[in-house]
Structures are given as C-alpha cells and as structure tokens.
Amino acid sequence: MDPKRELTSVDLAALVTELNRYEGAKVDKAYLYGDDLLRFRMRDFDRGRVELFLEVGDVKRAHLVDPERVPDAPGRPPNFAMMLRNRLSGADFAGVEQFEFDRILVFEFERDDENTRLVVELFGQGNVAVLDETGEVVQSLETVRLKSRTVAPGSQYEFPASRLNPLTVSYEAFARNMEDSDTDVVRTLATQLNLGGLYAEELCTRAGVEKTTPIEEAGDDEYRALHGAIEELRTRLRSGDFDPRVYTDDTDGAGGADTSDDDGAVVDATPFPLEEHERKGLNSEAYDTFNDALDEYFFRLELDDGEDAEEAGSSRPDFEAEIEKKKRIIDQQEGAIEGFEQQAETERRRAELLYANYDLVDEVLSTVREARESGVPWDEIRETLAAGAEQGIPAAEAVVDVDGADGTVTIEIDGIEIEVVVDTGVEKNADRLYTEAKRIEEKKEGALTAIENTREELDAVKRRREEWEADDEDDEDDEAGADDEFEDRDWLSMESIPIRSSEQWYERFRWFHTSDGFLVIGGRNADQNEEIVTKYLNKHDLFFHTQAHGGPVTIVKATGPSEPSEAVEFPESTKEEAAQFAVSYSSVWKQGRFAGEAYLVTPDQVSKTPESGEYIEKGSFVIRGDRTYFRDVAAEVSIGIQCEGETRVIGGPPAAIDERVATSITVRPGRYAQNDAAKMLYRKFRDRFADQKFLRKVATPDKIQEFLPPGGSELVDE
C-alpha cells in the first residue's frame, strides 16, 4: 500500500478541532525551509513551546511537531520568511478554520497594529498566501493566474469554486446528489460528495452498504444509512472524539498486532481507527492526539523515504506498478470529467426547461410567494398544492416537493426535477442554473489540467524505465555535489534536478552576466535609473545608454558594490553585449524596431547637474564629452533555464545566455504581450524538461516575464 503524502479533507477537519485548542499562543518567529516548508515557533501559556509545520510541496501536511524533531534553522531567511516575521512577530494565534470541505486551511493571527490571515492550500501544486485585513494578497509562495481564480500580490485572494460539503448536506440534498449519479455508490460518495476514495469505502462499510451497488439499485434505506454514517463522522470531527492511529504495512505478512518502528513502513495516520485498514491487515499504533500521530507519521515517512533512496541503487524500481497506478488515476480522472460534463449538461437542460415552461413555473412561484406574503405556513402550502394536484391543476401537478427551510420548491418537467427559489423569478432561477453549469465546467477544466499532469508523470515513469533498462544513467546522478559534478549532464532528460538558489543584491534590477563574467545591471524605471547611478556607478565601471528615449541606465560593473574599485580591461565582447542589453530593454523594443544604437561613456562623463536654464527629469542625466557608439545593434534577447550552479531563469543577450543554460529560446519584438509571451515560453520549456516539478519551481511564467523587454514579443522559430 502506498503511503499517504497529502492530508485528506477529513484529516483537516480533525486537525482544525485540535489546533484551535492553542488559541492565544504567541508567534515568536517564522522560518522557510527550501521552497515549500514553513515553520512557526510559538509560545503557549499552558504548554510552552509550540512548533507548527506547514508543507505544500510533494508532501502536503499541517501539524504540530515535537520540538526535539525540529531541524536547525536555515541560513539567511528569504524575503517570504522576513515578511512573515515582520507581520507576525508577537501576534496572537486567533484560530484556524477549514474552507468548506476543501483541503484549505485559513489561519488567523491578531496584533495591535494589523491582523493577518494565512491561507494554506494543501491541494494541486500547493501554495501559501498571506492576506491583509482586507483580504488582499501581501505575498504568496506561488503566483496563480487562472481563468477561474487569481492568487497574486496586490489582488484580492480568490478561493477555488465551492464544493459540496458532505458534513453539512441535508438528507434531501444528499439523496438528490446520489440519484443524479450514473455510477456505483462508492464512486458517487468519493467524487460527487467529495469524500475521497478511502472515506467513501469506510462509510459504506460502517453503513452496511455494499460499495459496488449501482445507483439505480440503491434506495432510501441505503441513502439513510449512508447519511447517518456521515452525520456520525461529522459529530466525532467537531467534538474532538478521536482515537488517533498510525498504520503500518508489515511487508513480511504478519498482521493484527501493534508494531514497533521496525515492523513495517508507515502508510497512513487517521483521527480514529478505520475498518477498511483493519480489513487490509494493516497494523495500528494509538496516539493521544491526532497532531502526535501526524508528527510520528511524517517523521517516519521521511525515514522510510531515505531508506528507499539508499536501496534504489541496488534494486530495480517497480516501474510497472507505478505505471499501473498512474493509469488508474487517469481512468478515475476521465470518469470525473465525464461526470462533470453530464452535470453541466443537466444544469443547462434544467435552465432551458424553465424558460420553455415559463408560464407554468411563474404560476407556481407566484402562487407560493403570494401565500407566504399572506402568512400561510409552508406545511399548509404543501397540503394545498397536493390537493390541487389531485384536482388536475397543471401548476400543482408539477410540484413534487416544498422545502420551507430553504425557501424552495421542486418542480418536475419532462421527467426532470428542478429546484427553484421562491423569492426570485424565473429568469434569476434560470441564471442560477446556468451559473452552476459554468462552475461545473470550470471544475472540468481543472480536471483536464490534472489529467495532463498525470499523463506527463506517466510518460516520465516510462522514460525512467527505458533509461534503467538501457543503463544510460548513473544511479548517483541525482546527488548534489560540487559544480564540476554537474558538467556534461543531460539536464532536459533528468527526472530530478536539484534546486540550488540564493538571493543576490542585483536581482531587483534588470541584470545578466556577460560571456566574460562581468555583471551588467539596468534600471526598470526612473527610480532605479536614479539609484543605479547615485549608488552603484563606480569610477572604473562603464555606462551605456541608447539614443532612443526611455531606455534603462546600463552599467557594467568592474567590481562588486562592497569591493574596492579597481581598473579592469573590459573585452569588446562584454561591451557589445552590454550595448545589446541597453537597446533590447529600451523603447526600441516597444516600438517594434529590430535594431537601434547605444553609446558608451565613462562614469566621470555622467552628471546630474544641468546647464543653466535646463531641467533634468528624474532618472535622466547629462552626458558630457565624446561617446563611443554601437550602431545597428540587434534588439534580441535569449531566455533560458540555468541548471549548473544556480538553478533559475536568466535572460539577456544571446551570446551571454545561450552558453550558460540547459536550453534557451530567442525572442524579438513582436505582437504578443509580455504575459502571453511568458506563458508561451513556459509551455515550450515544459515540453523540453522531463522534471516538471523543477520547472514549475524555477521558471513560472511570472519569473520568465521578469526577463522579457517591455512591449510585444515574438518567439524566434528554431
């Protein structure tokens, strides 16, 4: 049995109950390990030191950790960790809630000067967004720009589309959702009721309902038994009536008894015992709290993963099992997509039937609405409609249910039941159904993306199998070491590229390193132009600019900002590359021109002092003396993915970039907006790399866009 690497919605519901017992704990400090593991060190009045871990990478978890197991603090904290410390240091933990029944946790922190919400997305690619009091994103680990939602600094945070919450659904709504399905009971619970495979099976077992029962053979008895099992689950989750377990798989075949750490690999941690796990012969260990169980589980999972990695070189991986697993996932995803299509079509059909039978529906709504305005109770309305149906009144005959709690009436037209809200007209009811169809179609788009990712993963497994059988790759290739160990690697076909990055002072400017190794920086705006000249231009550097208005101040650094200034001999190749950089990121590109000219002067020729009667705009300078011109310079840049040494996107003159990267694409002025060109580049890079996770980490469209010149662009055909 494969170990669990992501918490389920049920896990998060239980976790919320336990974590809220720590309300009032004070935040000391925040840490970021790598790209996806956050640690919050807090102090609780009764319990002392509290360590909260939030991980949103390949492993997705949220739980408290034993202080003895906390790793050493990382080195210099990145910007994200510093931002968290600035906002949360000394703040009170005010509680956490689960967004609906989704795998999203929302942490609340309160401080006298500002309150902060932390949204932790434990699904898909995973993400953490920090929100201010208005719900605006201050910063996020990943920027998300989709048709359905946006998560980006400066924007209002948008939750994913709402899903049905099985813990709060009424019996009537539960039965309707079950009846709308065309598959068996367990799959309907897993997908339409959002319970997932494991808990769908568990609820069937507890309710005494055969999980493979086709929906058309299930009835009120089965539905009430299942709904009762869900209500019992809800009660236990909200009351904290837990009996947490860590389950292990005894690979030697022994089972039934409690085990020690050496008796089997961990496969799951649950807030209470599961009959499904007992039936599979898994061993279980009891813990006092669910947080304790999760801490033990993920600690041992990491140990198990380490042992698996050590054994990888001496035994052949089970590629066939992994391939079959991916195929099963694809089958399930395809089934979900088919279900979304049917649901969307059903909602559209309902909306169309409302319009096609406008007079009938309007009569029903008007009759019920007038009765309610006259103070007639819902039960009496129901009885009156039933009597009218017996008399053959068409409007009354169409009504099959009246729900006073929700203020709705269910009408049957052409054999299809349609729930309409009494207080709104026919048009608004139809619009609501069209909107629901659109929401379901958006879920379908998400499922299509997921299936594409799974197919990429399947292809990656098949490639790994081929490489293993051909013995083309050394087993030690994935180990990180000195830079010379990375030479001559086929980065594009590697399944796991180690990520190595550090922040540099010049990264907020435009920048690149010339083919001769010199750093070149340029301003992104007038403020940065001003700052570069006044703060970073030293007497032995070179100053470049374009004849065209609106270009970046470009300087070639002879030495670093903290190093003593020394005279150096700059090669012609460095000067030519700096001139091309100045031209490419100027208004020449924005105007759609393919070439321009730049000039070179020394720092002592650059001044902020204008002639008498002249005025100098912010970011502009007076140049005195002779200039060295570079004419007919091509407006052209390369965008590439660097894998040796630092792993990142870089961009600049092709001569400087192409030799430093695993792959690159040349860009010229053209018709595609910056963000569209960045997405096109990302898709092309995605097709080239086997390690999709690496690419998503280091080369998102946002990161690529930082290196694109302002204005439209075209990708040059290879």
Side-chain angles (χ1 to χ4, degrees), residues 334-624:
E334 288 176 339
I337 290 170
E338 184 177 344
F340 292 147
E341 291 173 344
Q342 292 174 351
Q343 289 178 57
E345 179 57 34
T346 299
E347 296 303 322
R348 277 194 298 270
R349 175 63 176 153
R350 286 173 172 151
E352 291 164 358
L353 285 171
L354 290 184
Y355 278 122
N357 297 269
Y358 189 102
D359 292 340
L360 174 69
V361 178
D362 186 55
E363 183 179 350
V364 172
L365 292 174
S366 300
T367 300
V368 176
R369 190 160 50 244
E370 290 170 3
R372 287 298 298 157
E373 290 171 353
S374 300
V376 180
W378 284 102
D379 288 342
E380 188 174 328
I381 292 173
R382 185 182 296 107
E383 293 171 0
T384 301
L385 288 170
E390 291 178 1
Q391 297 171 17
I393 300 173
E397 286 181 323
V399 177
V400 296
D401 187 34
V402 176
D403 189 342
D406 293 335
T408 61
V409 174
T410 301
I411 303 171
E412 183 175 339
I413 303 174
D414 291 353
I416 296 178
E417 292 187 358
I418 309 170
E419 186 179 73
V420 290
V421 179
V422 172
D423 290 339
T424 59
V426 179
E427 295 88 347
K428 288 188 176 180
N429 275 289
D431 288 345
R432 174 176 54 83
L433 294 170
Y434 280 126
T435 300
E436 177 64 10
K438 183 179 178 181
R439 185 188 70 82
I440 293 169
E441 286 176 336
E442 288 175 352
K443 290 177 66 175
K444 172 189 168 185
E445 292 301 317
L448 288 170
T449 300
I451 212 170
E452 179 184 351
N453 292 337
T454 307
R455 283 174 175 152
E456 290 175 355
E457 293 169 1
L458 175 61
D459 291 340
V461 176
K462 291 179 178 179
R463 286 196 298 270
R464 290 206 310 273
R465 180 179 63 181
E466 293 170 0
E467 290 167 0
W468 181 281
E469 292 172 349
D471 198 26
D472 288 337
E473 184 173 289
D474 189 334
D475 291 336
E476 297 180 356
D477 276 354
D478 290 338
E479 296 180 4
D483 287 347
D484 57 1
E485 293 181 10
F486 295 102
E487 293 178 357
D488 301 324
R489 286 197 175 187
D490 183 3
W491 296 102
L492 302 185
S493 64
M494 284 180 61
E495 299 301 330
S496 179
I497 302 174
I499 296 176
R500 303 172 304 282
S501 62
S502 60
E503 294 185 19
Q504 302 295 335
W505 64 270
Y506 49 78
E507 291 181 15
R508 59 194 184 91
F509 303 115
R510 295 198 183 278
W511 65 274
F512 78 100
H513 286 95
T514 71
S515 55
D516 304 300
F518 291 96
L519 173 65
V520 178
I521 61 174
R524 294 183 180 273
N525 50 47
D527 287 334
Q528 287 195 351
N529 282 348
E530 192 91 16
E531 180 183 1
I532 286 174
V533 170
T534 57
K535 187 175 180 179
Y536 294 105
L537 180 61
N538 294 326
K539 64 179 181 179
H540 296 301
D541 297 339
L542 299 180
F543 179 101
F544 284 81
H545 207 272
T546 60
Q547 286 294 91
H549 181 73
V553 161
T554 300
I555 64 172
V556 184
K557 294 294 298 175
T559 55
S562 60
E563 300 172 351
S565 181
E566 296 180 1
V568 297
E569 187 69 30
F570 292 101
E572 280 302 312
S573 53
T574 283
K575 297 176 184 177
E576 292 169 357
E577 291 164 12
Q580 186 172 29
F581 177 86
V583 168
S584 296
Y585 291 96
S586 74
S587 59
V588 168
W589 191 288
K590 189 178 292 186
Q591 294 165 3
R593 295 158 52 197
F594 292 98
E597 63 179 36
Y599 61 83
L600 158 66
V601 295
T602 56
D604 58 1
Q605 295 178 257
V606 182
S607 172
K608 277 293 290 183
T609 305
E611 297 292 343
S612 177
E614 291 183 344
Y615 168 75
I616 298 179
E617 295 178 350
K618 188 174 186 178
S620 299
F621 304 90
V622 175
I623 306 298
R624 296 187 172 91

Side-chain angles (χ1 to χ4, degrees), residues 298-350:
F298 284 107
F299 175 73
R300 287 165 60 177
L301 177 66
E302 187 173 356
L303 293 179
D304 291 343
D305 285 347
E307 292 174 0
D308 290 343
E310 290 178 5
E311 296 171 0
S314 58
S315 61
R316 183 183 188 278
D318 192 350
F319 294 114
E320 285 69 27
E322 194 171 354
I323 288 172
E324 287 305 312
K325 177 184 175 183
K326 299 297 182 189
K327 288 181 177 178
R328 286 196 302 272
I329 293 174
I330 290 172
D331 288 341
Q332 293 169 359
Q333 291 169 332
E334 288 176 339
I337 290 170
E338 184 177 344
F340 292 147
E341 291 173 344
Q342 292 174 351
Q343 289 178 57
E345 179 57 34
T346 299
E347 296 303 322
R348 277 194 298 270
R349 175 63 176 153
R350 286 173 172 151

